[in-house]
Amino acid sequence: MAAMTTTTTGDDARDEDTRSGGPVDSPFVRACRRRPVPHTPVWFMRQAGRSLPEYREIRANVAMLESCRRPELVTEITLQPVRRHGVDAAILFSDIVVPVAAAGVDLDIVPGTGPVVAEPVRTLPDVERIRPITRDDVSYVDEAVRLLVAELGDTPLIGFAGAPFTLASYLVEGGPSRTHAKTKALMYGQPELWHALCRRLAEVTLEFLRVQVAAGVSVVQLFDSWAGALSEADYRRFVLPHSAAVLAGLADAGVPRIHFGVGTGELLGAMGEAGADVVGVDWRTPLDVATRRIGPDKAVQGNLDPCVLLAPWPVVEGEVRRILEQGRAAPGHVFNLGHGVLPETDPDVLTRVVALVHELSAQPTDRG
Ligand code: CP3
């Protein structure tokens, strides 16, 4: 590693950061920036969550939204998978609807269902009631990030937010939806209202991410989990400009940006164009194919089917090997799942995957 810490190519201002070591010189941040790495970094979406007994225990008597507003609890939950699995990054424990609730929307996270909104968005006054947020509206997030950065040392912390389309889907449907029918009806039928809603959500999301960056996160991930419900043409027309506004608003923030969605095989190029440094890929598109669609200048992340972790170990190992091989087609590769860890996953399998990824991808310089 030591030989690599002074690498500065001067191609952008962010190169300055890499001289200092610490999280900015970690394998994860380096992979996001398409720089040489000692091993392929690995983390798991939803690594902090119900697959861990220590998580279930600490959350036993605390509601989900409430737990996101307690910095000490957020810190402990965020650290649990780092301690247990030795993953290359932590991700802030929170939820995509946290900033929307801070913006004044009456919502709850219902166990086993997900986010439920009391008064779904139907009109322009509904949109205008979503207030722009400031740091003070999410001071508990600012505090949690600061506590975490102090605890994590060289391990980078990922900040995140939901993208305008995925947030809009919860707000318009009033809860989770399989078809996103009400959302699409509003989008096609009242495009001006749709764009007003997405503009407001983009503002809230950008501020939420800026707070996290100011508090010290090393990377941000924009989750557009449900964008795969759209055709490429509709994505480009109704969604891309708003996600691009969020990502462009962070262009000078000095942190790599990951952009992820599920079922987005047809959207990978467009999601990269929205302004990402790293594009997240679900289990449907192999990473070499994804790289051809995204282009040669972005890193990729993902692709292991979360359900594979429920299969016997030789199956898991075969898939890890396949993904590491196909990930070599990209200029940077972050090992991850194609979506979040399922609650029924055996955490020991996750620990073994981390060790296997590190072992199989170790570069000779790692020992020198
Ligand atoms: O996973 C867990 O058990 C942790 C606790 C939890 C979170 N959100 C944390 C979270 C729970 C119970 C929720 C509720 C929720 N919110 C659900 C799940 C409903 C259920 O009971 O299964 C959903 C789908 C949401 C909405 C949401 N939150 C989306 C669409 C996303 C983006 C990521 C994705 O899964 O598509 C989130 C982000 C989220 N929720 C994170 C965490 C810790 C951050 C991302 C991560 O850790 O990878």
Side-chain angles (χ1 to χ4, degrees):
M1 272 299 282
M4 298 199 299
T5 54
T6 52
T7 307
T8 50
T9 55
D11 58 353
D12 63 34
R14 295 180 231 165
D15 284 320
E16 300 300 318
D17 301 347
T18 61
R19 291 194 195 122
S20 58
V24 291
D25 200 36
S26 63
F28 173 58
V29 174
R30 293 184 65 87
C32 291
R33 291 188 175 154
R34 290 85 69 199
R35 298 229 164 87
V37 287
H39 60 256
T40 301
V42 47
W43 69 281
F44 305 109
M45 291 185 279
R46 293 286 178 104
Q47 63 190 14
R50 286 167 290 181
S51 67
L52 301 184
E54 58 270 34
Y55 169 83
R56 294 195 296 267
E57 194 186 323
I58 202 169
R59 273 282 326 278
N61 295 306
V62 194
M64 178 58 197
L65 268 181
E66 170 61 21
S67 68
C68 298
R69 294 174 180 146
R70 293 192 193 171
E72 277 84 16
L73 189 59
V74 168
T75 302
E76 171 55 25
I77 293 174
T78 301
L79 292 174
Q80 285 176 347
V82 180
R83 284 189 208 115
R84 186 191 259 267
H85 304 308
V87 281
D88 291 275
I91 182 159
L92 178 73
F93 183 78
S94 187
D95 192 84
I96 59 165
V97 296
V98 164
V100 181
V105 175
D106 182 2
L107 60 85
D108 197 6
I109 296 181
V110 177
T113 302
V116 174
V117 176
E119 292 172 48
V121 171
R122 297 280 177 269
T123 63
L124 194 56
D126 293 342
V127 171
E128 285 163 352
R129 273 196 292 276
I130 306 170
R131 315 186 289 265
I133 61 166
T134 66
R135 193 214 70 100
D136 291 346
D137 293 308
V138 288
S139 54
Y140 42 84
V141 169
D142 172 86
E143 199 181 329
V145 170
R146 289 176 197 278
L147 289 171
L148 276 162
V149 169
E151 289 282 328
L152 280 163
D154 290 346
T155 303
L157 177 64
I158 304 167
F160 77 92
F165 176 79
T166 293
L167 291 176
S169 169
Y170 286 106
L171 292 180
V172 175
E173 303 290 334
S177 165
R178 198 173 48 80
T179 58
H180 307 277
K182 295 190 183 81
T183 311
K184 290 185 184 181
L186 189 150
M187 190 178 88
Y188 294 126
Q190 296 171 268
E192 281 173 23
L193 179 58
W194 171 260
H195 286 296
L197 172 60
C198 288
R199 268 196 302 274
R200 180 56 59 92
L201 292 172
E203 274 172 50
V204 170
T205 293
L206 176 57
E207 184 55 25
F208 189 56
L209 289 171
R210 282 190 167 284
V211 168
Q212 295 176 58
V213 171
V217 301
S218 295
V219 171
V220 293
Q221 177 154 330
L222 187 65
F223 283 95
D224 210 351
S225 301
W226 314 137
L230 299 172
S231 70
E232 185 185 350
D234 288 343
Y235 176 81
R236 286 185 179 278
R237 178 163 165 217
F238 293 110
V239 176
L240 189 149
H242 303 292
S243 296
V246 175
L247 293 165
L250 295 165
D252 62 356
V255 298
R257 297 153 297 173
I258 307 172
H259 195 186
F260 165 80
V262 182
T264 51
E266 298 297 327
L267 306 180
L268 289 170
M271 287 184 77
E273 284 172 39
D277 302 283
V278 185
V279 177
V281 181
D282 81 359
W283 58 91
R284 296 172 179 91
T285 314
L287 294 181
D288 50 352
V289 175
T291 297
R292 285 200 289 278
R293 295 180 185 176
I294 295 162
D297 61 341
K298 295 190 196 302
V300 293
Q301 168 180 285
N303 193 235
L304 181 63
D305 188 332
C307 298
V308 164
L309 298 173
L310 310 177
W313 177 252
V315 179
V316 178
E317 177 170 347
E319 283 295 280
V320 170
R321 288 179 183 275
R322 173 186 67 77
I323 289 166
L324 284 172
E325 191 54 40
Q326 292 170 340
R328 291 159 64 120
H333 175 205
V334 176
F335 195 98
N336 205 319
L337 309 181
H339 201 184
V341 173
L342 295 168
E344 60 267 44
T345 306
D346 175 354
D348 291 342
V349 175
L350 294 172
T351 308
R352 283 183 84 177
V353 168
V354 173
L356 181 65
V357 169
H358 287 169
E359 181 198 321
L360 293 175
S361 66
Q363 296 298 308
T365 49
D366 212 11
R367 292 190 290 273

